[in-house]
Amino acid sequence: MNLGGGTGGEEAGRARLAFARHVSCGGAAARCPPGPPRAAAPARLTGSHPASSASRPRVRLPVRYRKPPPRALSAAKPDTMAKPAQGTKYRGSIHDFPDFDPSRDAEALYTAMKGFGSDKEAILELITSRSNRQRQEICQSYKSLYGKDLIADLKYELTGKFERLIVGLMRPLAYCDAKEIKDAVSGIGTDEKCLIEILASRTNEQIHQLVAAYKDAYERDLEADIIGDTSGHFQKMLVVLLQGTREADDVVSEDLVQQDVQDLYEAGELKWGTDEAQFIYILGNRSKQHLRLVFDEYLKTTGKPIEASIRGELSGDFEKLMLAVVKCIRSTPEYFAERLFKAMKGLGTRDNTLIRIMVSRSELDMLDIREIFRTKYEKSLYSMIKNDTSGEYKRALLKLCGGDDDAAGQFFPEAAQVAYQMWELSAVARVELKGTVRPADNFNPDADAKALRKAMKGLGTDEDTIIDIITHRSNAQRQQIRQTFKSHFGRDLMADLKSEISGDLARLILGLMMPPAHYDAKQLKKAMEGAGTDEKALIEILATRTNAEIRAICEAYKEDYHKSLEDALSSDTSGHFKRILVSLATGNREEGGEDRDQAREDAQEIADTPSGDKTSLETRFMTILCTRSYQHLRRVFQEFVKMTNYDVEHTIKKEMSGDVRDVFVAIVQSVKNKPLFFADKLYKSMKGAGTDEKTLTRIMISRSEIDLLNIRREFIEKYDKSLHQAIEGDTSGDFLKALLAICGGED
């Protein structure tokens, strides 16, 4: 979930980090089976580290240090009932059934399966209404009453995905995990995604139970089977995770945080090749709280999130495993929300993943997963399951989900508080904005002008030279090249380029050669000329530019087209949409900081508008969204959540429609996280059949020297593929070469 914001050249940092601090680590841990006698806790955390044995001063939190429990070695059947940790709030969707009678339930299930056919509705209703502990008692009563194995009878009576789901619910969690891993390593090929998901997300206690359950169920050693079916650094990290010895969270060492940041940086970014052992040791053993501090400090120190370094330094299944570990460290519920979304998006459903997560998290953190899912993907988990599955299988999954959160963006009361804190922290966490195109070193406009002339002179055109020069110079340097070209050759460089190149490449290269304000002015002119209006282009430009940029655009528009931008907008649009665009085009947004009292008044102003009073609501939103500073608007959105339990973006989508809704949503998203707004636009320009080359070109040009590097990071984080890969898969030829040069690298 990314809800940052910024004014002009600043955007708020990744609220995901803040969010993870408040909705973290995902629910209750199951009890660990008894292991060998525990060693005495040391007087202080020594912070042993492979790179340094020197002792360092420690900063203690006001809690006692507890040594991580030793790995369970016993093959005895473990206590596998998931229990909330003492003092924590239960966040599962499945609860103990009141007035529970295992004998009565066993009899009801026997009746549902007796005779010809089976009553699947009765089976799913009963099993999804009982906790896992109660289901185990039902299994015992069933065997006592009928001398039969309940799971075997369910397998016989049910089929397909519904059978897999119901049988999974009937197993204790550790045995369910053991069965999933056994299936993942059995037969031809290995299901690496299953191994990654389970071993990266489970707590120490859950890992201990899993190892014991695997031994009990299959009379085999889990570690030996993992080693026999995997290899390399991927195997090594899996084995480390299997030990279940991650440090506890109750001691933090500031010195060790700094040392780990340095060691990770030296093991990756600063090293020829990669020291994978350092990544394995630190990410596989440090406590979650410690690692969150390491990740925060890594970003401050290197200017890159740890995920970017992992993607750049590691590869294959090992890279995927380490990224999963990082995501679970940040927020286990967010990791599972993302896994569920990817299991259902697009064509086809990854049912095994869907079943595994819904079963394993239903009594741990399903409410947290639901909250994050709805906020991050703007739809409820319930509605996505409902639209993506069918029959008894769908009904059982919806029971496990436990409720529909699609009340026009309404938060759970707990989620509203999380969102409030998220805005509070995101206001101070800022990420430096960086473009991908920078001024060229040793710039020589004379040499560049001559090289371009040579590339266009005579028969044929040297497109590679044109692309190389123009995509690797800043806009200011390109203007110098234009001037030098005219001085040397008495020719207009833009006119020569137009005559030598064509199509998408020409639009891209010529756009790069224009000063930014004149380029935006031209895009606005094109959006309004001819039949019809390109409202999306108008919204994209006017809703995202700073005051200084807007004023420069207005001057350029007047200079180039001898008409004011305001007059052009007034003659080409109408109603509230026109009023909003004209307001934005004045470039008079406030630029100060937040005013908390005013923010509460602004939030109350838009919250008090009666639902259905569309005209009044649009006017009130325009007065606030089009005039207040970005920093102030972040506070307004925060206060709005606090007052209403609603997110302002969802309210806009519910209460408004058409172009007015779209422009307000664009403003809100730009305030929240401008790079993410553009990442979404780029993704939509390339997804599905056909490519929206105009939008793709416009964004790549306009953001190349501002925040395209940040956009790249948001793109890969949200869509699990790099912008480079998306461009490569959706464009071709010289247009592709030029776009990749502007993109600036593969993430």
Side-chain angles (χ1 to χ4, degrees), residues 12-112:
R14 299 171 190 273
R16 184 181 308 106
L17 302 179
F19 196 70
R21 293 189 181 101
H22 296 275
V23 183
S24 63
C25 308
R31 293 277 174 88
C32 174
R38 174 185 270 182
R44 62 191 293 138
L45 177 61
T46 61
S48 60
H49 195 279
S52 173
S53 60
S55 62
R56 304 181 182 92
R58 301 288 177 255
V59 179
R60 289 181 178 274
L61 297 180
V63 289
R64 295 180 61 191
Y65 171 73
R66 297 186 302 274
K67 185 178 179 181
R71 185 182 177 200
L73 300 176
S74 170
K77 192 169 185 176
D79 173 12
T80 52
M81 301 299 103
K83 302 182 180 83
Q86 191 171 4
T88 61
K89 187 172 183 180
Y90 182 75
R91 299 295 291 157
S93 56
I94 300 296
H95 302 260
D96 281 341
F97 189 75
D99 302 320
F100 172 62
D101 184 338
S103 297
R104 184 176 60 208
D105 285 351
E107 185 178 346
L109 287 172
Y110 182 78
T111 301

Side-chain angles (χ1 to χ4, degrees), residues 70-206:
R71 185 182 177 200
L73 300 176
S74 170
K77 192 169 185 176
D79 173 12
T80 52
M81 301 299 103
K83 302 182 180 83
Q86 191 171 4
T88 61
K89 187 172 183 180
Y90 182 75
R91 299 295 291 157
S93 56
I94 300 296
H95 302 260
D96 281 341
F97 189 75
D99 302 320
F100 172 62
D101 184 338
S103 297
R104 184 176 60 208
D105 285 351
E107 185 178 346
L109 287 172
Y110 182 78
T111 301
M113 293 185 285
K114 189 171 67 173
F116 186 75
S118 55
D119 186 348
K120 297 181 179 64
E121 190 66 37
I123 293 169
L124 85 83
E125 184 64 35
L126 190 150
I127 290 176
T128 59
S129 300
R130 307 299 186 267
S131 67
N132 192 278
R133 178 187 62 79
Q134 291 174 332
R135 295 182 205 119
Q136 306 317 307
E137 293 186 43
I138 295 170
C139 282
Q140 293 170 4
S141 294
Y142 193 91
K143 183 162 279 190
S144 298
L145 288 171
Y146 305 109
K148 304 177 72 174
D149 181 70
L150 176 54
I151 289 180
D153 281 3
L154 288 168
K155 284 183 177 180
Y156 181 80
E157 292 293 333
L158 308 177
T159 59
K161 294 172 285 191
F162 181 54
E163 175 213 328
R164 186 179 179 92
L165 176 60
I166 293 297
V167 169
L169 288 168
M170 294 307 300
R171 293 191 177 101
L173 177 60
Y175 284 83
C176 189
D177 279 350
K179 175 68 165 60
E180 291 293 319
I181 287 187
K182 185 70 169 64
D183 290 346
V185 298
S186 297
I188 300 173
T190 305
D191 185 353
E192 289 85 4
K193 289 182 179 179
C194 173
L195 297 180
I196 291 170
E197 178 196 299
I198 292 175
L199 296 181
S201 65
R202 301 311 192 243
T203 64
N204 285 345
E205 292 83 358
Q206 290 166 341

Side-chain angles (χ1 to χ4, degrees), residues 443 445 473-485 493-494 510-516:
F443 173 59
R473 306 294 184 269
S474 67
N475 193 276
Q477 290 175 333
R478 295 182 204 121
Q479 303 316 310
Q480 291 185 56
I481 295 171
R482 284 182 68 177
Q483 185 61 50
T484 303
F485 194 89
L493 177 56
M494 295 285 280
L510 292 169
L512 288 168
M513 291 302 304
M514 296 180 70

